[in-house]
Every structure is written in C-alpha cells, then in structure tokens.
Amino acid sequence: MKSFRKFLCMFLGVVVMMSYTNVAAQELQNADIEGVTPRYTNMSQITSTLAISGNKAACEGICKMTANKTCEITMTLQRCTKSDKAYTPYKTWTQTYSGTGKKTLSKTVSVDSGYYYRVQVVVKIYSGSKLVEAGAKYSSEVWH
C-alpha cells in the first residue's frame, strides 16, 4: 500500500509537470516575436523600409552606430511571386561608413507589377579588418 501511494504521488507529480511544460510551450508558440529587438554592442538600431508608388520603389536602410568603427550596410530589394513565395534578390547596394551616428543608405528603383517586394538590410561592423558584429532586418512585404 505504501509503495502504491508513493507511485501515485510520483505519477501525479509527473503529470502536473508535463501539463505545465505543455502550457508554457503553447504560450511561447503564441507569443508575438515581432517586438523582440536584439541587443547590439556597436549599434543601437537597424531599420529597413520600403515604399512603392507607381512603378518606383523607395528603399532605405538605417543603422545607428554607437561605436567609432567601420560600418558596411548592404541593402537588397527582393521579390517573389504570389505562387512560389521564395524571395530572390532583385537589386543590391552596398555602402561603407565610419564613425558614430546615423548611417543611411537610400535608393529608388523601378519595379515590375505582379510581385511581392521586401528590403533586407544587413549591417556588418568591423574593427580594422576584423568583423566584430552583424545584424539584419527585413522590411514589411509590399504587393505591387
């Protein structure tokens, strides 16, 4: 009888722990991760924006540098069709900056109708020739 009670208590404990793990996993799955912002050492922010008007796409990538290092911004306008949803590069630009403060890469380019577009901004921070930090940000999708 004593061993049965011990078994029953252990079994109920395991069931309670498993149900809590399941609830925690479900909450994590339902969480809105859009608001998560990574912490950087040499920059405080990366932004990526895309606006399409007529057949022109205005693309912009911004990095706010907090350290006096070299910053390389690569901005890629990507596109895909409704059916495949596999983004491929359409246009790419790269600019190198140095020092602290806001670094902006802006380009306007002609676009074709019938595609989803988005902008990917990749920022790489160098100390001399050594890569010390990197980050990326996508803009929202825009159908044109």
Side-chain angles (χ1 to χ4, degrees):
M1 183 75 157
K2 219 176 202 183
S3 64
F4 178 72
R5 283 185 192 168
K6 189 176 183 179
F7 170 76
L8 186 59
C9 287
M10 287 181 64
F11 178 75
L12 289 174
V14 169
V15 168
V16 168
M17 286 183 357
M18 289 179 68
S19 66
Y20 176 74
T21 303
N22 192 19
V23 169
Q26 182 122 16
E27 287 299 317
L28 182 60
Q29 194 173 32
N30 294 337
D32 177 17
I33 60 172
E34 284 293 316
V36 175
T37 304
R39 291 190 176 250
Y40 299 108
T41 304
N42 299 289
M43 57 185 151
S44 63
Q45 182 181 7
I46 300 172
T47 58
S48 175
T49 57
L50 170 64
I52 297 179
S53 179
N55 67 338
K56 298 289 184 186
C59 311
E60 185 173 70
I62 298 172
C63 173
K64 293 184 180 173
M65 294 289 298
T66 57
N68 191 13
K69 299 197 184 314
T70 302
C71 167
E72 178 184 88
I73 300 176
T74 301
M75 182 170 65
T76 304
L77 177 62
Q78 301 174 332
R79 74 178 186 180
C80 74
T81 63
K82 272 187 179 180
S83 59
D84 68 10
K85 284 300 247 180
Y87 279 95
T88 56
Y90 182 65
K91 299 283 184 180
T92 301
W93 306 273
T94 301
Q95 183 70 41
T96 303
Y97 305 90
S98 61
T100 60
K102 182 178 172 181
K103 311 302 180 196
T104 304
L105 177 56
S106 297
K107 296 290 181 179
T108 301
V109 64
S110 295
V111 290
D112 301 320
S113 297
Y115 293 94
Y116 282 103
Y117 290 91
R118 72 179 180 187
V119 172
Q120 177 193 36
V121 174
V122 176
V123 177
K124 295 180 181 176
I125 309 296
Y126 294 92
S127 180
S129 61
K130 181 182 175 190
L131 177 67
V132 294
E133 191 168 41
K137 180 81 175 191
Y138 286 97
S139 70
S140 299
E141 290 183 320
V142 177
W143 172 256
H144 177 65

